[in-house]
Amino acid sequence: MEYAEVVRRRRMVRNYDPDRPVPPEIVDRLLGYAVHAPSAGFSQGWGFLVLDTPETVEDFWAATTKGDTKDSWLQGMQRAPVIVVPHSNRDAYLDRYAEPDKGRTDRDEARWPIPYWHIDTGFASLLMLLGAIDEGLGACFFGIPPDALPAYRKTFGVPDEYTPIGAITIGYRAPDRRSPSLRRGRREVADVTHRGRWGGRH
Ligand SMILES: Cc1cc2nc3c(=O)[nH]c(=O)nc-3n(C[C@H](O)[C@H](O)[C@H](O)COP(=O)(O)O)c2cc1C
């Protein structure tokens, strides 16, 4: 598929065909795209938890939700046969930038006004989202509720230094409802672009 079409077609999909598994080689290809993401200092401080069996997917939902069977969002999302949880690792960046070629002598987090560990893991996530479209799949990036994090970590043995930045459901699309957020409309390029100086007309 052409890149422009992949971008145009990308949208978050919140309902999946539960009877159509995702071939493991496709999941591997998506992970292969993820590790091609750019990263500050080529730190690559990320880790991806792949849940691709009914048991592990069920464990994810049990750990991260209250199991509200009437929740239509949850019903659709739970039909996804695969979940990939992208994690960022701040320590990998602090360590990397303390290496001789970067010249920092300390691991001071104050030098990081923008947490690139989250940014880079977000870049990797987007490559997976776009790759899913290219493979004819649907995917949705969504947040894990903060109060569910301890249970999530415990269930899957996630080390402390890794932070899940969200989670991605992946599967073949089933009809779903458009997100109410989309009523906000997409902002025009001209509204968000400043030429030459802030406020400069597009
Ligand atoms: C960082 C981030 C967090 C998001 N969290 C959720 C979420 O928790 N639940 C959900 O259904 N969608 C979530 N979304 C999807 C957005 O609602 C969606 O991207 C937005 O409404 C635009 O729709 P589109 O991606 O289908 O074009 C999230 C998207 C991003 C980028």
Side-chain angles (χ1 to χ4, degrees):
M1 205 184 288
E2 286 291 318
Y3 178 72
E5 193 176 353
V6 171
V7 173
R8 192 179 51 77
R9 282 200 194 188
R10 189 215 57 76
R11 71 177 198 68
M12 301 300 185
V13 169
R14 299 178 180 84
N15 189 22
Y16 301 88
D17 182 345
D19 300 321
R20 219 176 143 194
V22 178
E25 59 272 21
I26 295 189
V27 177
D28 289 346
R29 270 205 292 277
L30 299 183
L31 295 164
Y33 296 146
V35 298
H36 269 267
S39 63
F42 210 24
S43 302
Q44 303 167 80
W46 43 49
F48 305 95
L49 177 70
V50 180
L51 307 175
D52 57 358
T53 64
E55 295 75 27
T56 53
V57 167
E58 205 177 308
D59 286 348
F60 175 87
W61 293 115
T64 60
T65 66
K66 306 219 167 17
D68 179 356
T69 50
K70 292 202 180 70
D71 181 339
S72 63
W73 180 91
L74 188 54
Q75 286 171 1
M77 293 288 272
Q78 278 183 323
R79 294 190 186 108
V82 177
I83 300 173
V84 175
V85 188
H87 300 75
S88 64
N89 180 352
R90 183 201 59 173
D91 288 352
Y93 288 74
L94 302 186
D95 290 344
R96 168 71 186 104
Y97 276 70
E99 286 177 21
D101 64 320
K102 288 293 178 191
R104 291 186 183 172
T105 50
D106 59 52
R107 296 173 78 260
D108 186 0
E109 199 179 337
R111 294 172 183 273
W112 296 86
I114 308 296
Y116 282 164
W117 38 95
H118 297 323
I119 302 241
D120 295 349
T121 308
F123 287 151
S125 301
L126 182 59
L127 290 183
M128 284 192 277
L129 293 174
L130 293 174
I133 302 301
D134 194 43
E135 297 283 355
L137 292 161
C140 183
F141 184 100
F142 62 102
I144 301 176
D147 61 354
L149 288 178
Y152 165 76
R153 286 183 176 286
K154 188 157 179 253
T155 302
F156 297 107
V158 177
D160 288 345
E161 61 270 29
Y162 283 91
T163 302
I165 66 157
I168 303 173
T169 43
I170 300 168
Y172 289 94
R173 291 173 63 158
D176 67 344
R177 268 192 307 125
R178 282 165 62 85
S179 162
S181 302
L182 291 174
R183 287 193 211 114
R184 296 164 53 83
R186 191 174 302 283
R187 297 180 73 190
E188 297 292 335
V189 171
D191 291 339
V192 296
T193 308
H194 308 267
R195 291 272 152 137
R197 70 190 309 271
W198 203 262
R201 283 182 64 84
H202 178 62

